[in-house]
Amino acid sequence: SFPTRRSSDLEVEEETAKANIEEEAASVIAERTKIIKDAADAKKAEVDAALAAAVPAMESAKNAVKGLSVKSIGEMKGFGTPPAGVPDVGKCVFILKGEYSAKKQEWPMVQNMMKDPAKFMNMLETYNKEAIPDKALELLKPIMAQDFFNEETMMKKSSAAANICKWVIAVVTYNGIYRNTKPLMDAAAEAEGI
């Protein structure tokens, strides 16, 4: 006669089979979790690298404002007839502030904008670099493309104009980097939330 299995042996086999199935399922879940985590880590690394490129632009904007002084702003706004290019630097600030009317960007308006140097410097320092409207960027392009629109050339005309020019270039550069990295930041945040 054949040996018969005891019911306890069958129960052990069933429990072992169930445990093996559960172990396999846990292994599959762990592998999927690792894949998701690796993807999230890769997105985060991509965002970190892109944002690292924004740091120099942020620092440049901060340094430009630090380079301004009540005296240098007073000198710039004191020009009856400003050197060529200096009014354009002021015009850029108006555009960044959302003032698109050419009449309101004329030299007397630029002078008025700088009448309180501390308030003017604070406005530059606290400007929301992430929220530059598309229209402002479009209007700035032709001005910023001019040969004179750089810190070195402006420094020969006015140290305040040079620092404001540097600030404009820095915030526009930062905004471009931010716009490119924002979708990556959102994707990384979503991946981390999974």
Side-chain angles (χ1 to χ4, degrees), residues 64-80:
V65 175
K66 285 180 185 173
L68 291 171
S69 67
V70 171
K71 182 180 177 186
S72 68
I73 292 172
E75 169 202 313
M76 182 174 159
K77 73 177 184 175
F79 289 133

Side-chain angles (χ1 to χ4, degrees), residues 77 94 106-116 120:
K77 73 177 184 175
F94 270 115
E106 292 174 358
W107 183 243
M109 298 303 285
V110 172
Q111 290 171 304
N112 190 48
M113 173 177 62
M114 296 184 294
K115 74 179 174 195
D116 181 345
F120 177 71

Side-chain angles (χ1 to χ4, degrees), residues 20-131:
N20 287 341
I21 289 170
E22 288 174 6
E23 188 178 315
E24 250 181 69
S27 176
V28 167
I29 290 170
E31 184 61 30
R32 285 183 183 164
T33 301
K34 183 182 178 330
I35 290 168
I36 291 169
K37 183 185 180 318
D38 289 349
D41 289 348
K43 281 271 189 224
K44 186 172 181 338
E46 189 177 353
V47 168
D48 290 346
L51 289 177
V55 171
M58 288 270 294
E59 289 303 313
S60 182
K62 284 180 189 174
N63 290 335
V65 175
K66 285 180 185 173
L68 291 171
S69 67
V70 171
K71 182 180 177 186
S72 68
I73 292 172
E75 169 202 313
M76 182 174 159
K77 73 177 184 175
F79 289 133
T81 303
V86 172
D88 293 298
V89 171
K91 181 178 183 176
C92 288
V93 176
F94 270 115
I95 291 169
L96 286 166
K97 288 176 57 178
E99 182 56 66
Y100 305 131
S101 165
K103 191 164 189 79
K104 292 197 175 182
Q105 298 168 0
E106 292 174 358
W107 183 243
M109 298 303 285
V110 172
Q111 290 171 304
N112 190 48
M113 173 177 62
M114 296 184 294
K115 74 179 174 195
D116 181 345
K119 186 177 175 182
F120 177 71
M121 290 186 291
N122 185 59
M123 184 272 299
L124 297 179
E125 199 170 344
T126 59
Y127 182 77
N128 184 354
K129 297 169 229 15
E130 288 90 16

